[in-house]
Amino acid sequence: MVQAPSRRDRLRAATTQEIIQTARRLLVTEGPEAASLRAIAREMGMTAPALYRYFGSHEDLLRHVVGDIFTDLAGYVDAAIHAAADAAPPGTDPDEVWAVKLIAAARAFRAWTLAHVPEFSLIFGSPLPGLEALHEVAVDPTIDCGYKFGRLFLDLFSELYRCRPFPIPADDQIDPSLRDQLARYRNLIGSKLPLGALQTFLRCWVLLYGTVSLEVFGHLQFALDDPAPMFELMLSDLAPLVGLESPARSR
Amino acid sequence: MVQAPSRRDRLRAATTQEIIQTARRLLVTEGPEAASLRAIAREMGMTAPALYRYFGSHEDLLRHVVGDIFTDLAGYVDAAIHAAADAAPPGTDPDEVWAVKLIAAARAFRAWTLAHVPEFSLIFGSPLPGLEALHEVAVDPTIDCGYKFGRLFLDLFSELYRCRPFPIPADDQIDPSLRDQLARYRNLIGSKLPLGALQTFLRCWVLLYGTVSLEVFGHLQFALDDPAPMFELMLSDLAPLVGLESPARSR
DNA sequence: CGCTTGAGTGAACGCTGTAAAGCTTCAAAA
DNA sequence: TTTTGAAGCTTTACAGCGTTCACTCAAGCG
């Protein structure tokens, strides 16, 4: 009973994407509160209720914007990963390329964030609107753009551990409660990493997220005008966690 | 030319505080968007325009709420610090008490946050409203409740370093740009700490903020249901930074 | 007594998200 | 070829928002 999408469907799908793009553009250029249904519709030469043909509510639309942003971010990080691999000198130890990629991914995450502060606030900020705007998109496996984004780092991390295992805590060294949760998480993502490696992965994510969000939300401004060096410092904290001695070479 | 506040002024001051409390209560119990001027006024048996006698705008009111929350948080952490000192066994090395206090302060920060998620979102979340709602309060030295909060940790940190110096990077080991900023910051707060200690202080803050906000904003839920062990893990990362071997004793 | 001042009100403006009803257009069925 | 039905959209309406303005009322003071 599957039938090819009619011309109408294709048109409509195109419009859906247009609405999302318009909403995102307004959100970025005019601020979050300017991305009202009416403003978006106005921008598209429509009226606000028309948008209810495409989205169930204003929040639903924003959810799709979040998904769009997530795939955008993932694409950027992914591109940076490949660029880093291509830029590696020919003689480089192939195992070390994974480490280079991981550092590049972290830097790309920060770079994208700094260039897309409003977007970052929407997808990684406090879930002010209704607590679930981000959450559902990030977790729901059907619209799981956030999941794909995390996967990007996890795969890199896995390959790095596979090729060049770094010291991780043994299972019985992990807090029992944490161990159980890590086992469940590993099962969920179908990974074969040791639990200790997953713990280290999450520690890295805490460091990365904390540093970047602290910087972009301005909660470091009480001390620093330019938190960039703090990010590099964080990288040099992160490096030994994954068995790297020199944090990174180029900046 | 300083004259005692008239009875009217005192009454008005009392009402100002009442408005802030009402706003905060609505914010916490009904969510951020329920804390509208009209709702606040309604709750107080007034009309919305009346509030303009006390605050310049809705955002201005929220700024005062932020200040109120900050002093609340600071008070909680401060109490926890004193409680930790009192609870220390009589024979404890007096120098080590500073370490115990610092760990207690970090735990208190997390505990308060978990018990006050909406408040935390308001003061430490993404500055959605207008980018400056928090910023001004946290930085402006006249309403500097956020400053006092940071001072709490800094003083503890300073004493710990004074009594039991831990290894810190030498000045010439610090990134030059960061070094300049740290020097400016040290000058701003009138501290005598070495720049390397200030750098370590900020690294601790990054760790603490990152862990707690990641937990409370749900950005760790993709992997963990209960991020509490991650916090303890963070504490054990933080401990060696300040020269502690065992992360902490009691939970 | 009259004047000033401050607190508070009600009405209004333009904005918001959302619901209901009606209109137009067009593909597919009769 | 005509009819039907639904998609896409508009118009209208409602309740609520922040904010402004003109106004009243009571208290304080010379």
Side-chain angles (χ1 to χ4, degrees):
Chain A
M1 284 309 281
V2 175
Q3 54 188 11
S6 71
R7 192 169 55 86
R8 200 182 207 106
D9 283 346
R10 274 185 289 111
L11 280 176
R12 180 179 156 136
T15 313
T16 298
Q17 206 52 34
E18 276 176 42
I19 297 172
I20 294 175
Q21 295 305 327
T22 306
R24 181 170 164 185
R25 203 186 62 239
L26 276 176
L27 188 103
V28 169
T29 59
E30 315 278 340
E33 54 232 38
S36 65
L37 272 186
R38 286 180 145 94
I40 297 164
R42 204 179 304 128
E43 200 82 0
M44 301 200 60
M46 304 165 79
T47 59
L51 298 183
Y52 280 80
R53 295 271 156 200
Y54 301 87
F55 303 97
S57 68
H58 183 234
E59 190 179 329
D60 183 39
L61 198 169
L62 280 189
R63 245 195 297 277
H64 282 80
V65 173
V66 167
D68 187 70
I69 293 174
F70 254 120
T71 62
D72 193 23
L73 166 59
Y76 183 86
V77 172
D78 197 40
I81 289 172
H82 286 103
D86 296 345
T92 314
D93 175 3
D95 288 354
E96 195 182 321
V97 172
W98 293 111
V100 172
K101 283 180 171 179
L102 194 61
I103 299 294
R107 286 220 179 92
F109 177 64
R110 173 171 178 266
W112 184 93
T113 294
L114 289 184
H116 300 84
V117 172
E119 283 103 326
F120 180 83
S121 293
L122 184 64
I123 68 177
F124 280 120
S126 46
L128 268 186
L131 275 156
E132 67 280 77
L134 160 69
H135 183 248
E136 289 189 10
V137 179
V139 167
D140 189 330
T142 61
I143 328 177
D144 55 356
C145 312
Y147 175 76
K148 278 188 212 152
F149 165 71
R151 193 79 210 193
L152 223 56
F153 281 92
L154 187 64
D155 287 344
L156 229 49
F157 193 85
S158 301
E159 284 303 314
L160 181 63
Y161 182 77
R162 194 179 55 82
C163 297
R164 196 190 255 193
F166 40 84
I168 57 168
D171 284 9
D172 57 2
Q173 284 180 300
I174 304 175
D175 177 279
S177 153
L178 186 56
R179 197 194 314 136
D180 294 347
Q181 296 186 75
L182 289 174
R184 207 175 322 136
Y185 175 50
R186 179 173 65 177
N187 189 49
L188 178 75
I189 59 178
S191 169
K192 287 175 184 169
L193 278 179
L195 297 183
L198 279 181
Q199 177 186 279
T200 301
F201 176 69
L202 290 184
R203 279 168 74 188
C204 292
W205 171 234
V206 168
L207 258 183
L208 181 59
Y209 170 87
T211 309
V212 170
S213 76
L214 206 53
E215 171 175 3
V216 87
F217 291 160
H219 297 318
L220 218 48
Q221 279 188 359
F222 69 94
L224 305 179
D225 289 330
D226 170 28
M230 282 304 288
F231 180 79
E232 293 300 317
L233 202 59
M234 181 278 289
L235 279 189
S236 62
D237 281 355
L238 190 145
L241 284 179
V242 295
L244 297 173
E245 292 183 2
S246 67
R249 76 190 87 229
S250 74
R251 157 84 193 96
Chain B
M1 284 307 282
V2 176
Q3 53 188 10
S6 71
R7 191 170 55 85
R8 202 186 207 102
D9 282 347
R10 275 186 289 109
L11 279 177
R12 183 182 155 131
T15 313
T16 299
Q17 205 53 34
E18 276 175 40
I19 297 173
I20 293 175
Q21 295 305 327
T22 306
R24 179 170 167 185
R25 203 185 64 239
L26 275 175
L27 189 104
V28 169
T29 59
E30 315 278 337
E33 54 231 39
S36 65
L37 271 187
R38 287 179 144 97
I40 297 164
R42 206 179 302 131
E43 201 80 358
M44 301 200 60
M46 306 167 78
T47 57
L51 297 184
Y52 280 80
R53 297 272 162 199
Y54 301 87
F55 303 96
S57 67
H58 183 234
E59 191 179 329
D60 183 38
L61 198 167
L62 281 190
R63 245 195 299 275
H64 283 78
V65 173
V66 168
D68 185 71
I69 293 174
F70 254 120
T71 62
D72 192 23
L73 166 59
Y76 183 87
V77 171
D78 197 39
I81 290 172
H82 287 101
D86 296 345
T92 312
D93 174 4
D95 288 354
E96 195 182 322
V97 173
W98 293 112
V100 172
K101 283 181 173 179
L102 194 60
I103 299 292
R107 286 221 179 92
F109 178 63
R110 172 171 180 266
W112 184 93
T113 295
L114 290 184
H116 301 82
V117 172
E119 282 103 326
F120 180 83
S121 292
L122 184 64
I123 67 178
F124 280 121
S126 45
L128 268 186
L131 274 156
E132 67 280 78
L134 159 69
H135 183 249
E136 289 188 10
V137 178
V139 167
D140 188 331
T142 61
I143 328 177
D144 56 355
C145 311
Y147 176 75
K148 276 187 215 153
F149 165 71
R151 194 80 211 190
L152 223 56
F153 280 92
L154 187 64
D155 287 345
L156 228 49
F157 192 87
S158 302
E159 284 305 314
L160 181 62
Y161 181 77
R162 194 180 56 82
C163 297
R164 195 190 258 192
F166 40 84
I168 56 167
D171 282 10
D172 57 2
Q173 284 179 300
I174 303 176
D175 176 279
S177 153
L178 186 57
R179 198 194 314 135
D180 294 349
Q181 297 186 75
L182 289 174
R184 207 176 320 137
Y185 176 51
R186 179 172 65 178
N187 189 49
L188 177 76
I189 59 178
S191 169
K192 288 174 183 171
L193 278 180
L195 298 184
L198 278 181
Q199 178 187 277
T200 301
F201 176 68
L202 290 184
R203 278 168 75 190
C204 292
W205 171 232
V206 168
L207 258 182
L208 181 58
Y209 169 87
T211 309
V212 170
S213 74
L214 206 52
E215 171 174 1
V216 87
F217 291 159
H219 297 318
L220 218 48
Q221 278 187 2
F222 69 93
L224 304 180
D225 290 330
D226 170 28
M230 281 304 289
F231 180 79
E232 292 301 318
L233 201 59
M234 181 277 291
L235 279 189
S236 62
D237 281 354
L238 189 145
L241 284 179
V242 295
L244 297 174
E245 292 183 3
S246 66
R249 78 189 87 228
S250 73
R251 156 103 191 85

